[in-house]
Amino acid sequence: MIKQLIMLMLFSFCYMQGTFGGYAIFDYKNESGNDRFDLKRAYLSYSNNISDDLFFKIRYDVGRHADNRLTTFLKNAYVDYKCENGDKLSLGLIGTNSYGVQEKNWGYRFIEKSVVDKYGMTNTADFGVGYSKSFGKVKTSVQLLNGEGYKYADTDGNQSLYLSLLYGESRLDKNDGMNLGFVMNNNPQADDTNENLIGFFGGWASNGLRLGLEYNQFEVEATDLTEEATSIYANYNLCEDWDLFFRHDINDLNVDDDVDADDLTIIGGVWNVTKGLMVAPNVYLEDDANTYRITCMLKY
């Protein structure tokens, strides 16, 4: 796979006008008295406007495998076709519409995933087709996907339906404004059960302050499992080079049992050292132990 990626890069550099980019996430952490360095994630992507109506993107994702090896996956490979009425049709291995805006409301993907992604309630990319349409400030997106996610081929012949509705500004990490949104996934399983996600979110940003709130409910039909995950977060631009942030998650694996929900609080700051480099000292406060980290993101 690496050889093919290098050949693609060389071909694109020589014959095509496009853009290479990506980022890598490094951290140093002290967890339960143990210190270690780690590479959490690395992405490499290439994108190009093939024509006025057609956009192409391919992205590779390097992350930890189940046995803790660093493994390369193809995360995205798709085209966006701009329709004559301004709508967008997406085909291929596409990013799902269930988490992207929330991730930008939170703003610090390199420190921690958005809550719906962190607790495994949705796939972040999958094989299929999507259609996006705007009605003024209201943006809609519907996707028909395999349901297994980007790491696996289709195994059961069932397709999943992903729906999102957004009112307002989609990039609060870059622009002032507000948004309200709703996401829904229906993922049929081979054993005739359905995995359903319903999520609500909102955010607001003005004068260097950004606030956000999420609530998500994940249900497996024909079982007693109903999981809930809530997240609230705030970011303040202290000065030109420093941001301060706070986030609190509550994750209840089964709302019908008597087991207490898990609480996670993340606090810290982000130092924008120079263009392309951010350094974030932060601490994870959990019931069983605290973890102290310095997380770095290098954009290229």
Side-chain angles (χ1 to χ4, degrees):
M1 183 175 290
I2 299 298
K3 181 179 179 180
Q4 288 86 343
L5 178 59
I6 294 174
M7 294 300 295
L8 172 65
M9 293 170 59
L10 292 174
F11 173 78
S12 303
F13 179 78
C14 295
Y15 298 104
M16 303 178 69
Q17 297 297 320
T19 302
F20 284 101
Y23 63 90
I25 305 171
F26 308 89
D27 71 6
Y28 166 82
K29 68 170 62 176
N30 179 287
E31 185 176 16
S32 302
N34 298 316
D35 297 337
R36 65 186 177 95
F37 293 95
D38 192 20
L39 170 66
K40 296 178 60 180
R41 210 89 184 187
Y43 293 97
L44 179 63
S45 63
Y46 171 79
S47 60
N48 187 26
N49 288 302
I50 305 299
S51 68
D52 292 339
D53 302 323
L54 195 64
F55 170 82
F56 165 77
K57 183 172 184 178
I58 185 169
R59 180 165 68 162
Y60 283 87
D61 174 2
V62 181
R64 293 292 178 185
H65 195 267
D67 62 3
N68 215 32
R69 290 178 295 131
L70 283 172
T71 307
T72 303
F73 295 95
L74 181 64
K75 182 69 176 281
N76 297 119
Y78 66 89
V79 293
D80 286 337
Y81 175 70
K82 186 187 299 182
C83 305
E84 292 184 0
N85 60 1
D87 299 350
K88 183 177 70 175
L89 177 66
S90 301
L91 300 167
L93 179 51
I94 60 179
T96 63
N97 57 21
S98 51
Y99 75 106
V101 177
Q102 303 94 301
E103 189 173 272
K104 298 302 186 292
N105 286 357
W106 156 231
Y108 297 123
R109 169 67 176 79
F110 76 103
I111 295 173
E112 187 52 83
K113 302 174 183 177
S114 60
V115 64
V116 69
D117 184 13
K118 175 177 173 57
Y119 297 111
M121 294 180 165
T122 188
N123 292 316
T124 57
D126 206 343
F127 301 87
V129 58
Y131 193 81
S132 302
K133 184 177 183 63
S134 296
F135 301 90
K137 292 185 178 181
V138 178
K139 303 177 180 67
T140 66
S141 172
V142 60
Q143 297 175 332
L144 186 65
L145 308 170
N146 277 348
E148 280 80 6
Y150 68 95
K151 295 181 181 179
Y152 305 98
D154 180 63
T155 57
D156 56 18
N158 296 321
Q159 275 70 55
S160 299
L161 180 65
Y162 281 54
L163 173 68
S164 72
L165 300 174
L166 172 69
Y167 173 81
E169 173 60 51
S170 61
R171 292 298 304 264
L172 294 182
D173 59 330
K174 294 183 177 294
N175 305 310
D176 286 352
M178 59 81 63
N179 62 43
L180 295 171
F182 166 78
V183 295
M184 181 189 74
N185 299 352
N186 175 251
N187 189 5
Q189 303 296 298
D191 56 0
D192 295 327
T193 64
N194 285 348
E195 294 180 349
N196 298 314
L197 168 70
I198 294 178
F200 300 90
F201 63 88
W204 173 87
S206 181
N207 297 318
L209 177 65
R210 185 173 70 247
L211 305 173
L213 174 67
E214 298 178 43
Y215 169 80
N216 302 279
Q217 183 182 90
F218 180 77
E219 179 184 18
V220 181
E221 292 182 5
T223 72
D224 295 329
L225 176 62
T226 301
E227 181 180 358
E228 291 182 348
T230 304
S231 185
I232 184 171
Y233 35 84
N235 169 77
Y236 181 66
N237 181 219
L238 185 64
C239 60
E240 182 178 358
D241 298 329
W242 274 95
D243 295 342
L244 301 178
F245 68 85
F246 164 88
R247 170 171 159 177
H248 183 69
D249 293 352
I250 301 174
N251 183 42
D252 192 342
L253 291 172
N254 191 346
V255 297
D256 295 326
D257 63 23
D258 296 328
V259 179
D260 292 337
D262 294 326
D263 287 64
L264 168 65
T265 301
I266 312 172
I267 57 174
V270 178
W271 176 27
N272 295 282
V273 181
T274 187
K275 182 180 180 180
L277 177 61
M278 290 188 286
V279 177
N282 59 94
V283 57
Y284 276 43
L285 304 174
E286 300 179 87
D287 293 335
D288 52 350
N290 298 334
T291 303
Y292 303 90
R293 309 190 314 171
I294 299 177
T295 308
C296 305
M297 182 170 72
L298 174 64
K299 291 185 177 181
Y300 39 81

